[in-house]
Amino acid sequence: MNQLRFTRECLTSVLALTPRADRVLLIDNGSTDGTAAAVRDEFPDVEVLRLEKNLYFAGVVNEGFRRALGNGARSILLLNNDVVVERTALQTLRAALEEDPKRAAISPKIYYYEPPDVIWFAGGVVGRGFGLIRHRGVNVKDEKLRDAPRAVDYVSGAAALISCDAL
């Protein structure tokens, strides 16, 4: 909400995905800075759903899921507007999700914008004692956590490819 600069960068990266996304939907969560109008003008290939009031994260995600499921989506790439994706991210995530039909969602390793080699999220872990949650690899330089894909306790809502069958 009210972060047009981040939204522009995010959409630019999404529209550069190879292969392209079938559809791109931006849900404007009650912004008052003209984000919806600017996106309609600058990104004509992006569908914009403007919400009159802030529904917070869960409300916005539910609106997006309803819209995507109603349009027959097989999977949904959920992204916060401050996320920039690599050109091959969708292809890589889609392959991992389709590899095992029991997988409900896949989340990529997410890095800080600055410095770009420091991890913000490399999978979610739920502690076995008190059930405390934590981001695996947070604040670690990527060179120290060069590992393969793995099962995690949860994925990040900041960036995840979700199976519509699971929904």
Side-chain angles (χ1 to χ4, degrees):
M1 184 164 106
N2 293 332
Q3 297 182 334
L4 181 56
R5 180 176 67 86
F6 294 129
T7 302
R8 281 183 175 122
E9 195 166 358
C10 176
L11 288 174
T12 299
S13 73
V14 168
L15 293 173
L17 287 168
T18 305
R20 293 181 54 92
D22 296 331
R23 296 180 71 174
V24 178
L25 169 65
L26 170 81
I27 302 178
D28 179 1
N29 195 17
S31 291
T32 58
D33 67 349
T35 293
V39 168
R40 283 187 184 107
D41 289 344
E42 296 172 33
F43 300 94
D45 293 337
V46 174
E47 179 184 351
V48 177
L49 172 60
R50 184 175 188 309
L51 304 176
E52 291 302 316
K53 65 178 187 168
N54 184 343
L55 298 183
Y56 303 97
F57 183 78
V60 169
V61 169
N62 287 335
E63 287 295 322
F65 285 172
R66 273 192 280 280
R67 177 74 58 105
L69 292 169
N71 287 321
R74 293 180 311 146
S75 62
I76 299 168
L77 180 59
L78 175 65
L79 293 174
N80 280 356
N81 69 325
D82 62 351
V83 172
V84 176
V85 292
E86 292 180 356
R87 191 174 293 266
T88 59
L90 181 58
Q91 177 182 352
T92 303
L93 292 169
R94 194 177 280 158
L97 187 64
E98 292 172 355
E99 184 179 290
D100 184 347
K102 292 184 282 184
R103 289 183 179 146
I106 301 289
S107 192
K109 202 180 280 183
I110 303 171
Y111 301 88
Y112 286 101
Y113 193 82
E114 285 295 330
D117 62 340
V118 175
I119 297 168
W120 179 77
F121 181 86
V125 178
V126 177
R128 302 300 174 232
F130 293 109
L132 299 175
I133 63 171
R134 68 178 175 82
H135 287 194
R136 188 175 158 274
V138 70
N139 296 324
V140 172
K141 280 191 156 270
D142 192 32
E143 63 202 30
K144 294 182 180 176
L145 191 68
R146 294 234 176 240
D147 57 354
R150 60 183 296 161
V152 296
D153 295 331
Y154 66 91
V155 298
S156 172
L161 184 66
I162 302 165
S163 164
C164 289
D165 288 341
L167 294 174

